[in-house]
Amino acid sequence: MKTLTETLLVAHHRDEFLDDVVALIETHVARLPGLKGLTFKAGLVAANRAVPDVIQRGTRRLMPQFLDAIEPLHQEFRTSGTGDFSVFFGRNADRAAELLLSVSDARLAQSQNATAQSFYKTFRGYVSRELSSAMPAFGKLIRNYLG
């Protein structure tokens, strides 16, 4: 059986999948409530000024690593007997979020950008919670491409 990377990042639908992921991220961020939501949105606006299309660029660059990070969940799903990946993924949202954040953690640890490191450290817990809440939708998106 193919891995998530081999399935989702094939030439014939790679761009569509990545565009859908970006749309999912942008929609989720737009819905963030409260002061932390406003602060997070402002941080993304600032990041977009520094690096135009930061979400798109980051998604395209890091998606292979993100998919590799959650591949153990995909393999677990395949042996679980659960019929729907999005349901399985939703049940394991916290684990999935932490696996995805491990990629970001490793990238940021190598960064020389103190501002980015400070921003990330300040908001990592919040990002973890938000990422967990987005995992059911991400699981549905992946399920749609798995066939």
Side-chain angles (χ1 to χ4, degrees):
M1 297 292 272
K2 292 183 178 182
T3 66
L4 287 173
T5 301
E6 292 167 338
T7 303
L8 300 173
L9 298 182
V10 293
H12 69 278
H13 65 238
R14 174 187 171 90
D15 289 339
E16 183 181 354
F17 172 72
L18 292 172
D19 289 346
D20 286 347
V21 171
V22 168
L24 177 74
I25 294 167
E26 289 174 342
T27 299
H28 189 83
V29 169
R31 294 180 181 161
L32 294 177
L35 184 58
K36 282 192 177 181
L38 289 173
T39 303
F40 194 79
K41 291 172 201 172
L44 282 177
V45 167
N48 267 318
R49 279 193 212 123
V51 179
D53 299 323
V54 69
I55 293 174
Q56 294 84 347
R57 289 177 185 208
T59 300
R60 290 185 183 285
R61 185 176 340 108
L62 295 175
M63 189 54 67
Q65 293 170 304
F66 287 145
L67 293 176
D68 288 347
I70 61 171
E71 183 60 34
L73 280 178
H74 180 238
Q75 294 300 323
E76 191 177 319
F77 159 73
R78 289 162 88 180
T79 60
S80 72
T82 305
D84 187 332
F85 181 73
S86 65
V87 172
F88 179 85
F89 205 68
R91 287 183 190 146
N92 292 280
D94 290 342
R95 281 178 55 206
E98 285 304 313
L99 289 168
L100 293 174
L101 283 172
S102 71
V103 173
S104 299
D105 293 346
R107 295 279 300 196
L108 209 55
Q110 297 171 350
S111 174
Q112 300 300 317
N113 186 330
T115 303
Q117 288 177 339
S118 176
F119 179 81
Y120 185 77
K121 286 177 184 175
T122 300
F123 285 97
R124 192 196 186 282
Y126 180 71
V127 170
S128 178
R129 287 187 300 279
E130 287 306 318
L131 202 51
S132 289
S133 72
M135 287 301 98
F138 188 47
K140 286 179 186 176
L141 191 151
I142 290 171
R143 179 198 63 203
N144 291 340
Y145 283 91
L146 291 177

